[in-house]
Structures are given as structure tokens and as C-alpha cells.
């Protein structure tokens, strides 16, 4: 299975610059964004899902996950990073 | 992206808000090759084998938890029913082996090890008798060892001598752990039609037809089902069944992924996925509350059995489609002390043992984690076991009794077992006597349902 594709999810109160902040972090670690989807739900809840490729990332998955979690705390958002398979398994036959 | 953002957010919500998790990854290990006339040698071999095979279990599960963001709550080990491994017929040998199993569990970092067990549905061997006599002390002096005894099957009937004996064993296990509210009994399951590949404790053991080593996975997600049912206001019960089926499918797929991946990483065969709904004391992670979301005021009210039957069946249908190998117990559990909705109903005095018994006819397992008055007689406990066994034997399903006669406590008192075992109010038991019936002993013949060839 492909272990290089990671889904990054960002959820929390909306404000200016979330996409830039998270994408900036990913770029700094050489993580490639393959797809991105973002919307504001119910007027003030920001939700973004990104499909990324970590093949050429500067750090391993565990460290990337930690960095994203720290960033989430700093921005007061929930940031998750999970291998893509979990979603494929659950939602596709 | 092949997966829509809505689907991604749905998965995350299930895990974050609705307590979706993989309840247990259980490694089944055959100990048949550990046998030896000297029990000290058996002990050494058992510890060495468990360490060799399960040494990386916990660490591997943690890795999968990190990669997929799915909590894996417990890692456990199940072993060959130990009465078939220890050659001697001495109670002390079995107590010694129990301490070795406890040590092995601690070394590999699993919180429970199951298989201090015996299969006596048709009669006892010398080893079976020694093991059963050792159970109360073994459970009192060990921390992680779980015990189970199969006393009946559809093919063999009910071993009423074993039923009588287990009433006494439960009383004694409670007495020896009186300082912990009879905790020993929480680690002891009396089965009818026990299964060989159950990953859930306290009743897990590695059956004789199983391979050398295998990984079985138990999923859980009462909270997710409850949320989905709650949202379905005004829908009829056919539609509710459909909703449960779909959610059951998704929950099971997650377990399937974890099972396959852990088996790949450990290079151990993937056995089965147990599609069960196992509640925890966490708020919202309750099977009782699913029934309440369907419109039952409190679990135990008329309609509870029908609602549970619907839930159990729909969950199985969704799960069967989602996994290539479904096994174990696969159904909804109704442990009283581990389920907030059950605890609430018992506290309010509206949930009785008789209704629980009826519910066990349509769901997985049986009277589970039920705390009863400490002065309940051994014969009454045996009679409760006999009733459960009859339901299992006649209906061709697994039933079980995990009941705690809490020393010194009376109806309405609370007992606290802590952790996943939760807390429960003592519920009443009939004061009528079944002593003469139990004292007859013997074997209730296999029912006509067992003659299938």
C-alpha cells in the first residue's frame, strides 16, 4: 500500500491566514500538497482537508505529526495527520 | 482527492466526538508445545514463548495508532486453555502457572491475558478439576490473568456438576478478593458455547483448532451508532436498521484495516475481526443509550429486547459485508458496570436481572458485570448460570455469566471496580431457592437442536 500519502485535516474557529500558516509549515518540510479543500461551516468553523505526499519530506511522519499538532495548539485549531488508507478503507469498497 | 472532505470529517468526528476505537488487538498463542511433567519447566517455556511472540505487539499497535489516527485501546494475549498444557493434576501447579502468566503479561505490556481456562461441557479431566479449584486463588494473587470455563454446548448439553461447582468458585473468588469488592469475579467468565477466537476479555482463549499464533481484532463504537440513531428522528425501524448497518460497515472496515496491517507488520496470521459493540464507562459510549435513542425511555423497559435484537442483527449484517473473516462473539455487549446507560437504569431501580437475561437471548454473550448481593447463595448463582446456559444451548449461541456477589454489600449499594470495569449498583436477585435442583447434578442432555447431521 502507499504509505506516502497523508491526509492533513484542520478544524477550528475561522480567522485570516490559516491556509497560509499550515501550507507554510508543510512547504518548509518539503511536503507536497496534491489536493486541498477548504470551507467555513455554520459561518465560523473553519474546515480544511489536504491530501499530501510525504515521499520527499525533510522529516519522518511521526515528527511531521508532532509539528502539526504543535502548530494546531499555537493556532488553537485541531490538526490531524493520518495515512490516506483509513479513509479509503472506511468509505470505499 | 478520491475521498471527499465530508467523508474525512465524518471519520474524524467518529473518533474524536463519538469514541470510535479499536477496542482490542489480541494475539492468540498456542501453548500446546510448552507442556512438561515439571511445572517449573512449563512456566519457563510459557513465559519465553509469550515474550518471543508478543514482545512487539504493543509497540506495533502504537505505531498503527499513530499512522492512522485510530485509538487502539488495549493489546492482549489469549492462550490455549491452560488445563490442556499443565500435565499434573495439582491445584498448586495451576496457581503457580497463573503467576507465570501474570509475569508474561507484564513483560510484554498487555493489560490482560486470557486462557486460564477449561472446557468441561461434557465432563472433567483431572486437570480440569485442579484448574477450577485453583481459579479463586489464582485470580486473587494475580493482576492480569483472566479465567473462563465452558460448562455447556449445543452439541454436549449442560454439565450441571460444573454449573454447581462454578457457583461455589464464584463465591470463593469474591471472598478472596473481598477487600476489592470481589474483583476476582470480574476476571472470570462462565460460558455456554464458548468461541475459540474471541479477542475480548475476560473470556478470551486460544482454541485448540487455532494456528500457532494469530491476531484477532475487536472493534467497537456504540457512541457512533448512538449518534447516528439520535440524528434519525422520525424514521421508522426499518430505516434505523439500515442506518445501523451502514455505520456498522464503516466501523468494521476500520478494524479490518488495523487487523491486516498489524498482521503484516508482525508477520502473524490475521485471524478474525470481532464485530462487537462494546461499551465503556465513557459518556455516550453506551449500548443502553442506543436503545434509548430508538425511543426506549430507559434500558429495561418493555421493548428493550426488540430494540437490542434489531441493533445486534443490523450491526452483524453491516460487519459481515465489511470484513473477510468475521468471528469471535460479534454482537452487542451489555455489561452493566461498563455502560453509563445500564448503570443509570440499575441505579434508578428499573433494570432487573430477569430483563437482562431476556436480552441475552438476542445479543452477544450474556449476564455481564452484574453486581449482586454478597449473601446470594452459591446454588442461586449456579441456577443463574444454568438459565443462561440453557438460553445459549437451545438457541445455538454463546452465552456467559460474569457475575459478582459483592461481599458485605446489599441491594442499592454501589461498587467501584475502576478503569474499563467501571462501577455498578447491586441489583436484587430472587430470594427463592433452587438448591434442590442444583444439588441433583448430572448432565442435561444435548438438545435436539444439536443433532444437525
Amino acid at each position: 500500500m502507499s504509505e506516502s500519502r497523508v491526509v492533513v485535516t484542520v478544524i477550528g474557529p475561522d480567522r485570516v491566514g490559516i491556509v497560509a500558516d499550515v501550507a507554510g509549515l508543510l512547504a518548509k518540510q518539503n511536503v507536497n500538497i496534491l489536493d486541498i479543500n477548504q470551507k467555513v461551516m455554520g459561518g465560523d468553523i473553519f474546515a480544511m482537508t489536504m491530501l499530501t505526499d510525504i515521499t520527499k519530506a525533510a522529516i519522518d511522519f511521526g515528527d511531521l505529526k508532532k509539528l502539526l499538532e504543535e502548530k494546531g495548539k499555537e493556532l488553537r485549531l485541531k490538526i490531524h495527520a493520518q495515512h490516506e488508507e483509513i479513509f479509503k478503507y472506511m468509505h470505499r469498497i | 482527492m478520491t475521498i471527499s472532505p465530508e467523508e474525512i470529517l465524518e471519520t474524524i468526528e467518529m473518533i474524536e466526538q463519538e469514541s470510535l476505537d479499536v477496542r482490542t488487538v489480541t494475539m492468540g498463542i498456542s501453548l500446546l508445545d510448552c507442556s512438561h511433567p515439571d511445572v517449573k519447566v512449563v512456566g519457563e517455556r510459557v513465559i519465553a514463548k509469550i515474550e518471543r511472540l508478543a514482545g512487539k505487539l504493543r509497540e506495533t499497535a502504537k505505531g498503527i495508532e499513530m499512522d492512522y489516527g485510530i485509538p487502539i485501546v488495549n493489546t492482549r494475549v489469549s492462550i490455549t486453555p491452560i488445563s490442556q498444557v499443565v500435565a499434573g493434576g495439582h491445584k498448586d501447579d495451576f496457581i503457580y502457572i497463573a503467576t507465570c502468566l501474570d509475569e508474561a503479561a507484564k513483560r510484554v505490556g498487555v493489560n490482560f491475558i486470557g486462557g486460564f481456562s477449561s472446557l468441561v461441557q461434557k465432563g472433567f479431566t483431572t486437570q480440569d478439576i485442579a484448574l477450577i479449584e485453583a481459579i479463586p486463588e489464582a485470580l486473587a494473587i494475580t493482576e492480569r490473568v483472566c479465567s473462563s470455563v465452558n460448562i455447556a454446548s449445543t452439541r454436549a448439553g449442560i454439565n450441571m456438576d460444573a454449573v454447581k461447582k462454578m457457583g461455589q468458585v464464584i463465591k470463593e473468588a469474591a471472598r478472596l478478593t473481598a477487600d476489592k469488592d470481589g474483583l476476582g469475579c470480574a476476571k472470570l467468565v462462565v460460558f455456554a458455547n464458548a468461541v475459540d477466537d474471541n479477542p475480548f476479555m475476560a473470556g478470551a482463549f486460544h482454541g485448540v483448532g487455532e494456528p500457532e499464533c494469530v491476531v484477532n481484532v475487536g472493534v467497537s463504537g456504540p457512541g457512533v451508532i448512538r449518534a447516528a440513531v439520535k440524528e434519525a428522528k422520525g424514521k421508522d425501524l426499518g430505516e434505523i436498521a439500515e442506518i445501523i448497518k451502514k455505520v456498522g460497515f464503516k466501523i468494521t472496515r476500520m478494524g479490518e484495516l488495523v487487523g491486516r496491517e498489524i498482521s503484516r507488520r508482525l508477520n502473524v496470521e490475521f485471524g478474525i475481526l470481532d464485530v462487537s459493540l462494546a461499551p465503556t464507562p465513557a459518556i455516550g459510549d453506551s449500548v443502553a443509550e442506543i436503545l434509548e435513542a430508538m425511543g426506549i425511555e430507559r434500558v429495561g423497559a418493555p421493548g428493550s429486547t426488540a430494540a437490542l435484537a434489531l441493533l445486534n442483527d443490523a450491526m452483524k449484517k453491516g460487519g459481515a459485508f465489511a470484513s473477510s473473516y468475521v468471528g469471535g462473539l460479534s454482537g452487542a455487549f451489555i455489561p452493566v458496570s461498563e455502560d453509563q446507560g445500564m448503570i443509570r437504569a440499575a441505579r434508578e431501580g428499573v433494570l432487573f436481572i430477569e430483563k437482562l437475561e431476556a436480552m441475552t437471548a438476542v445479543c452477544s454473550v450474556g449476564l455481564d458485570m452484574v453486581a449482586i448481593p454478597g449473601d446470594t447463595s452459591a446454588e442461586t448463582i449456579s441456577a443463574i448460570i444454568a438459565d443462561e446456559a440453557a438460553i445459549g444451548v437451545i438457541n445455538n449461541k454463546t452465552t456467559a455469566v460474569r457475575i459478582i456477589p459483592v461481599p458485605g454489600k446489599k441491594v442499592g449499594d454501589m461498587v467501584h471496580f475502576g478503569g474499563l470495569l467501571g462501577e455498578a449498583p447491586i441489583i436484587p436477585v430472587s430470594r427463592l431457592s433452587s438448591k434442590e435442583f442444583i444439588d441433583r447434578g448430572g448432565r442435561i442432555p444435548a438438545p435436539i437442536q444439536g443433532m444437525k447431521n
Side-chain angles (χ1 to χ4, degrees):
Chain A
M1 70 174 69
S2 153
E3 288 183 349
S4 57
R5 283 154 74 103
V6 166
V7 173
V8 176
T9 319
V10 185
I11 308 167
D14 189 29
R15 61 163 185 76
V16 175
I18 299 175
V19 178
D21 275 338
V22 178
L25 184 153
L26 294 173
K28 209 171 160 187
Q29 301 304 332
N30 206 34
V31 172
N32 191 24
I33 298 172
L34 304 173
D35 197 349
I36 182 164
N37 193 300
Q38 180 251 301
K39 62 179 172 184
V40 177
M41 302 185 298
D44 54 356
I45 299 293
F46 174 92
M48 171 166 74
T49 56
M50 294 167 134
L51 178 64
T52 67
D53 183 344
I54 62 167
T55 317
K56 291 180 183 154
I59 50 175
D60 71 18
F61 176 67
D63 289 335
L64 177 67
K65 210 171 146 98
K66 266 185 219 143
L67 271 185
L68 286 166
E69 269 164 25
E70 279 161 23
K71 191 79 183 168
K73 270 185 201 147
E74 183 194 319
L75 303 174
R76 280 190 247 166
L77 298 160
K78 281 246 171 204
I79 307 187
H80 300 273
Q82 292 153 282
H83 280 294
E84 190 194 16
E85 278 76 19
I86 169 81
F87 305 105
K88 278 193 174 164
Y89 248 80
M90 195 181 254
H91 298 285
R92 293 289 176 271
I93 301 170
Chain B
M1 208 174 315
T2 54
I3 308 293
S4 77
E6 285 75 18
E7 288 168 327
I8 291 172
L9 295 174
E10 181 190 351
T11 301
I12 288 177
E13 194 180 338
M14 283 179 179
I15 295 169
E16 293 252 306
Q17 320 274 326
E18 297 157 4
S19 315
L20 176 61
D21 54 49
V22 168
R23 183 56 45 81
T24 181
V25 171
T26 303
M27 178 180 275
I29 299 174
S30 167
L31 296 183
L32 286 172
D33 59 351
C34 297
S35 204
H36 191 275
D38 182 353
V39 72
K40 300 274 172 199
V41 178
V42 180
E44 281 165 24
R45 287 181 179 178
V46 163
I47 293 176
K49 186 161 187 186
I50 293 171
E51 266 197 296
R52 176 166 63 81
L53 292 169
K56 290 207 166 121
L57 177 64
R58 200 173 149 68
E59 175 192 321
T60 310
K62 285 280 151 208
I64 290 175
E65 182 174 274
M66 188 190 81
D67 284 354
Y68 298 113
I70 309 163
I72 299 176
V73 183
N74 300 296
T75 46
R76 286 156 175 183
V77 168
S78 66
I79 53 158
T80 309
I82 204 74
S83 68
Q84 303 183 7
V85 179
V86 177
H90 300 285
K91 176 182 160 188
D92 291 347
D93 292 347
F94 283 99
I95 293 172
Y96 174 74
I97 286 296
T99 63
C100 297
L101 292 172
D102 208 32
E103 173 62 26
K106 281 173 188 159
R107 286 196 196 174
V108 300
V110 296
N111 55 4
F112 282 124
I113 182 163
F116 196 75
S117 305
S118 223
L119 311 174
V120 297
Q121 58 269 28
K122 211 161 179 187
F124 305 96
T125 63
T126 316
Q127 287 77 17
D128 291 329
I129 292 170
L131 173 118
I132 289 171
E133 304 231 304
I135 290 174
E137 198 176 331
L139 295 179
I141 62 170
T142 60
E143 183 195 337
R144 306 184 188 200
V145 175
C146 292
S147 176
S148 54
V149 177
N150 192 62
I151 49 89
S153 75
T154 302
R155 278 300 175 105
I158 307 174
N159 178 351
M160 290 300 290
D161 294 324
V163 168
K164 180 178 179 184
K165 186 81 199 154
M166 289 316 293
Q168 298 160 353
V169 166
I170 288 171
K171 285 288 282 185
E172 183 64 4
R175 193 182 69 80
L176 294 182
T177 50
D179 57 329
K180 292 177 195 148
D181 283 337
L183 181 68
C185 300
K187 299 181 284 179
L188 172 59
V189 185
V190 184
F191 273 116
N193 288 326
V195 294
D196 287 340
D197 51 8
N198 163 27
F200 286 101
M201 296 295 172
F205 61 83
H206 184 70
V208 201
E210 294 285 309
E212 185 70 11
C213 185
V214 71
V215 178
N216 297 318
V217 172
V219 293
S220 190
V224 182
I225 306 268
R226 172 181 162 269
V229 172
K230 249 191 157 166
E231 242 174 59
K233 285 230 178 307
K235 298 221 156 94
D236 77 27
L237 293 170
E239 292 169 297
I240 295 289
E242 193 61 24
I243 289 168
I244 295 172
K245 220 161 71 179
K246 284 181 182 152
V247 178
F249 173 85
K250 290 179 185 175
I251 294 173
T252 310
R253 289 296 286 171
M254 188 195 67
E256 175 86 1
L257 170 64
V258 168
R260 295 209 165 279
E261 192 55 20
I262 205 150
S263 130
R264 189 182 68 83
R265 292 188 191 183
L266 285 171
N267 197 20
V268 168
E269 195 173 326
F270 175 40
I272 56 92
L273 193 73
D274 190 318
V275 186
S276 282
L277 289 175
T280 65
I283 304 293
D285 203 21
S286 156
V287 168
E289 285 176 4
I290 301 175
L291 311 187
E292 292 172 6
M294 284 189 216
I296 304 287
E297 185 181 349
R298 275 283 178 274
V299 63
S304 299
T305 310
L308 182 61
L310 181 163
L311 168 66
N312 198 61
D313 184 66
M315 183 67 198
K316 275 190 215 172
K317 285 173 178 163
F321 183 39
S323 169
S324 0
Y325 298 100
V326 173
L329 297 167
S330 287
F333 297 165
I334 50 169
V336 177
S337 75
E338 298 169 2
D339 184 310
Q340 283 300 333
M342 293 276 175
I343 296 169
R344 187 165 53 232
R347 261 196 172 139
E348 290 172 2
V350 295
L351 179 64
F352 298 102
I353 206 162
E354 291 76 14
K355 189 63 180 176
L356 283 167
E357 182 186 313
M359 289 164 72
T360 65
V362 300
C363 75
S364 172
V365 201
L367 290 175
D368 197 12
M369 291 303 286
V370 179
I372 58 172
D375 62 359
T376 309
S377 73
E379 291 83 7
T380 294
I381 293 172
S382 293
I384 291 171
I385 294 171
D387 284 344
E388 270 304 315
I391 290 172
V393 165
I394 299 293
N395 294 299
N396 223 331
K397 73 182 286 289
T398 306
T399 50
V401 173
R402 181 160 56 143
I403 200 165
I404 306 107
V406 185
K409 299 234 165 160
K410 296 190 170 51
V411 172
D413 291 349
M414 283 298 290
V415 326
H416 305 269
F417 299 113
L420 275 180
L421 297 172
E423 56 176 11
I426 308 277
I427 61 175
V429 171
S430 168
R431 308 310 284 181
L432 301 174
S433 171
S434 320
K435 185 172 184 317
E436 196 182 331
F437 178 70
I438 294 302
D439 282 344
R440 285 176 187 270
R443 188 147 59 88
I444 296 181
I448 201 86
Q449 287 90 327
M451 295 164 64
K452 278 191 280 194
N453 292 344

